[in-house]
Amino acid sequence: MLKKVLNVVNYIFGSLFNLALAVTIVVIAYTATIWAFDFGQYMMTTDDTEYRSLEEIVVEIPDGASGIEIARILREYELIDNEWLFYLNSVLNGSANHFLTGLSFNLDTGMSESMIMYQLQRIPEGLQADGTRIVVVEGLTNWQIAELASTLGHFTATEFLYELEEGLFSHAFLRDIEERPNRLEGFLFPNTYYLPQNPTPRDLISRMLDHFGEVFTGEMIERMEELGEALGRELTIEDIITIASIIEREAVVHSERPIVAAIIYNRLAAGMPLEMITTVVYATNTRVDMLTPADFQINSPYNTFNRQGLPIGPISNPGLNAIEAALHPADVNYLFKVVNNHEARSHFFTADREAYEAAQIRYSVGADEEDEQED
């Protein structure tokens, strides 16, 4: 009897294995066929790229368009050569999930694919809000959202900020947040919002807080508690959102976000200052390229260069990807990061200070050489 049961089990597992193998072969064959088809088209198409002058092209992305549909549109405009490779790249670096749709973008034929991906995730200038529909992208501060919301034409940025500071909101996740300036920073969840006619600031703020409450689930709270136990420190929702807000601003490449999260936790555990540049940007209300050495010494609870621990609160309003990264840091021992590709804004990571200092020199020199070549 036992032998029959084992035979049945072996037969079932053997069938499942054969099925999985067959599916894998079909997927590989399909992918290879698509690639070969695109490559054949490319080889048979006259390449006049080097003779084509740079020109600006207005590209309209239909509302709800998928990543591959967007790639196909870009290829039709001759902004990219291969839609499948563009789409695969956008999936691997996390961009595909954040392309904005229902908008028109000003792109030009000289843009790299990474720059096109970057532009497709940013609200086009002059098309920030329309009537009662507003698109709030990840990583904006409360002040930036106020400016954006004011373009609706129904209230001013000052009125929006006043409601943020003085309005009373009863959402459960706000009860344990400490009183501080910009108290709701980090909790205005990025999304597309449709508002009633003649909306007030509260109409938008309430919807954004409601959506945060929907996104930050009970499972996330359980994961937060598990992570706190594993790290040997108590974590709050405010801690997670503060970490996520830093990740959102520090890591453009989505696949790097769990690694940046790990660096933050590793530095906290080691008693090291976080030394995250975007916290100084927030503290000084300036741009990265305008920071001076004195800015890194500014006396601010948000400055992570001259104080240990997390900043007093979030420095932006992070999206789901950054929150997930804060809850699921990579299992690495890295403590340092250096930008190693200024166009893609990717990083070199290490746990060794000497390697970090060498990388700073290496990649800063590389950046200078690239600038000289461009000039």
Side-chain angles (χ1 to χ4, degrees), residues 59-237:
V59 179
E60 184 174 345
I61 304 298
D63 195 25
S66 65
I68 189 60
E69 288 170 342
I70 292 173
R72 190 168 293 123
I73 292 169
L74 294 173
R75 182 177 177 180
E76 290 173 356
Y77 280 100
E78 298 184 352
L79 289 163
I80 62 173
D81 292 322
N82 189 300
E83 63 199 71
W84 288 99
L85 291 180
F86 178 92
Y87 175 62
L88 178 61
N89 266 338
S90 69
V91 171
L92 292 177
N93 66 29
S95 298
N97 293 329
H98 295 269
F99 289 154
L100 301 179
T101 63
L103 299 171
S104 295
F105 297 85
N106 293 326
L107 306 175
D108 69 64
T109 53
M111 284 183 172
S112 65
E113 292 194 357
S114 60
M115 179 57 70
I116 291 174
M117 291 180 196
Y118 177 79
Q119 292 295 337
L120 291 177
Q121 298 175 70
R122 296 294 179 266
I123 300 172
E125 186 177 351
L127 193 64
Q128 298 170 329
D130 179 22
T132 56
R133 175 181 178 270
I134 183 170
V135 181
V136 181
V137 298
E138 294 89 344
L140 298 184
T141 64
N142 285 358
W143 183 85
Q144 290 171 322
I145 293 176
E147 288 291 307
L148 171 63
S150 70
T151 65
L152 288 168
H154 300 288
F155 47 79
T156 66
T158 300
E159 290 170 332
F160 185 88
L161 292 171
Y162 179 84
E163 183 64 24
L164 279 178
E165 292 299 319
E166 302 298 329
L168 298 178
F169 301 93
S170 59
H171 299 75
F173 55 84
L174 296 177
R175 293 172 189 164
D176 298 327
I177 295 177
E178 296 181 10
E179 288 294 334
R180 55 175 168 79
N182 304 322
R183 179 170 177 264
L184 298 184
E185 187 82 79
F187 298 93
L188 302 184
F189 199 82
N191 201 7
T192 298
Y193 293 96
Y194 294 88
L195 305 174
Q197 294 295 320
N198 300 315
T200 65
R202 190 175 186 86
D203 288 326
L204 176 55
I205 295 169
S206 294
R207 280 166 170 76
M208 300 185 81
L209 293 175
D210 288 344
H211 195 37
F212 180 93
E214 295 168 357
V215 170
F216 205 94
T217 62
E219 289 79 6
M220 286 185 172
I221 294 176
E222 291 178 7
R223 170 57 189 164
M224 177 184 74
E225 294 171 349
E226 292 173 0
L227 180 61
E229 290 179 6
L231 296 173
R233 58 178 291 145
E234 182 180 357
L235 292 172
T236 66
I237 295 178

Side-chain angles (χ1 to χ4, degrees), residues 326-366:
L327 289 169
H328 300 276
D331 185 14
V332 293
N333 65 344
Y334 298 143
L335 292 169
F336 307 97
K337 62 182 178 67
V338 179
V339 175
N340 63 357
N341 185 317
H342 289 266
E343 183 179 3
R345 296 169 73 182
S346 59
H347 291 86
F348 164 81
F349 300 99
T350 182
D352 182 74
R353 181 175 290 278
E354 289 185 2
Y356 163 68
E357 292 172 350
Q360 283 185 308
I361 297 172
R362 180 167 69 251
Y363 293 119
S364 64
V365 170

